[in-house]
Amino acid sequence: MSNQPEEGLKKAYSVLETGKPGEAKKILEEIYLFNLDNNEIEFAVWCCSYWIDCVNNLQELSPIEQGETLIYQWKSFEEALRKKKDVYTRAIYAVQTGIFTLALNSYSSLTSDTEKENFRTTVQKADVYHKLGICNKKLGKYEVALTSLNEANKLLPLSAATLAEMADCYALCGLERQAKVLFREAFYINAKAIDLELLDSELIRCLIKQVKEKGYSGPVLQEWVPVFGILYGIFNVKRELRSQEVGILKQHIFETEVEVKNPANNIKILTPRLIYMYFLLLDHYIQKNEMDSKISNILLKIKILDEDVYNLYVK
């Protein structure tokens, strides 16, 4: 009898990993009746209960709706987990494996030979490969995930969301140089398009946590993450910008400077966005040994925008 709870948990987790929370819950409830003081069983039952309705309702949805629903619900599940006092890794792993296996199957069905013609636009097709990448990443298949994400990037180049996921996979594979370059790029292209909740690598999770602790959240958090990525030396691997890219960066800076002057715009979002672009231009000037006057001018602009950031940068 002493091994009954452990055997029951293993059996339930095995079922849960296949995406069947209802069946897993039945197994757990049988052993919970004789182990009411077992907190892990209680937590596992809660996990199953959370997902039963969602999984049961999937059959009424199209494949793409199934995948979207599962990913959306996963983010809500993680939010609910943060409110739990005690969590058990084995249970979370089993749920994650089951949910993203279901999502992967849904998205994969869209890329089969018989379904490929159903993509109405290149954007939709790129999004499906992007989501395939996320699912495989969540299942620990990082190289497979990168293959899907590369396909998404070919279909829709320079998507900030896709580049960030690629960076996350590289970081999870221990390839931090590649990760840092892509994270820098992704946040410059469009910080608000990056789903921070789906990023898993320690590299980016620690940075996000540190920025959250400063009181930032939502869209404002997304814009400040790359700024502190520079300040804390995390986004410290740089690539040389081509002359055309420098021109585009300067144009974006000019446009954002104009926006900042308009009191009708959201200065809380525009300020970190502009500071990050200043940082990228500073990196270019320093790499090219440009005149000190150019560097001093950008530093002064940063100081006017946020003196605390300026002091952190120059210290």
Side-chain angles (χ1 to χ4, degrees), residues 28-165:
L28 291 165
E29 286 178 335
E30 288 179 10
I31 59 172
Y32 188 51
L33 288 173
F34 304 99
N35 300 275
L36 296 176
D37 59 342
N38 190 308
N39 293 332
E40 184 174 359
I41 297 175
E42 184 179 0
F43 176 76
V45 169
W46 174 82
C47 288
C48 292
S49 299
Y50 188 97
W51 285 99
I52 287 174
D53 287 344
C54 176
V55 171
N56 287 345
N57 293 333
L58 290 178
Q59 58 188 345
E60 301 173 9
L61 306 175
S62 68
I64 198 161
E65 288 173 332
Q66 290 176 13
E68 296 298 302
T69 297
L70 288 164
I71 290 177
Y72 175 81
Q73 197 66 31
W74 174 258
K75 292 192 288 185
S76 298
F77 176 67
E78 286 198 313
E79 182 63 31
L81 282 177
R82 285 190 277 272
K83 298 174 184 177
K84 301 290 287 184
K85 183 179 179 182
D86 296 311
V87 297
Y88 293 85
T89 305
R90 290 193 302 175
I92 297 171
Y93 173 81
V95 173
Q96 181 168 320
T97 300
I99 294 307
F100 283 99
T101 295
L102 291 175
L104 180 66
N105 292 339
S106 297
Y107 288 118
S108 295
S109 70
L110 294 166
T111 62
S112 66
D113 291 337
T114 56
E115 298 289 338
K116 282 182 180 178
E117 300 304 317
N118 288 345
F119 292 117
R120 292 188 294 274
T121 65
T122 301
V123 172
Q124 185 187 58
K125 187 175 182 180
D127 183 61
V128 168
Y129 278 100
H130 173 84
K131 296 293 173 45
L132 282 170
I134 290 174
C135 292
N136 278 304
K137 183 190 74 173
K138 292 289 186 180
L139 293 169
K141 303 173 184 177
Y142 306 133
E143 292 184 3
V144 178
L146 280 168
T147 299
S148 295
L149 292 168
N150 273 309
E151 183 64 28
N153 191 48
K154 288 177 187 176
L155 292 163
L156 193 66
L158 300 180
S159 160
T162 297
L163 291 180
E165 284 295 339

Side-chain angles (χ1 to χ4, degrees), residues 32 82 109 126 177 179 182 234 251:
Y32 188 51
R82 285 190 277 272
S109 70
R177 285 187 63 82
L182 285 181
I234 297 171
Q251 180 63 29

Side-chain angles (χ1 to χ4, degrees), residues 173-201:
C173 290
L175 301 172
E176 288 203 349
R177 285 187 63 82
Q178 293 93 321
K180 290 178 178 182
V181 170
L182 285 181
F183 273 132
R184 276 173 63 100
E185 197 92 1
F187 279 100
Y188 165 57
I189 292 170
N190 190 356
K192 67 182 179 183
I194 299 170
D195 196 332
L196 301 182
E197 295 177 67
L198 291 175
L199 300 177
D200 294 328
S201 61

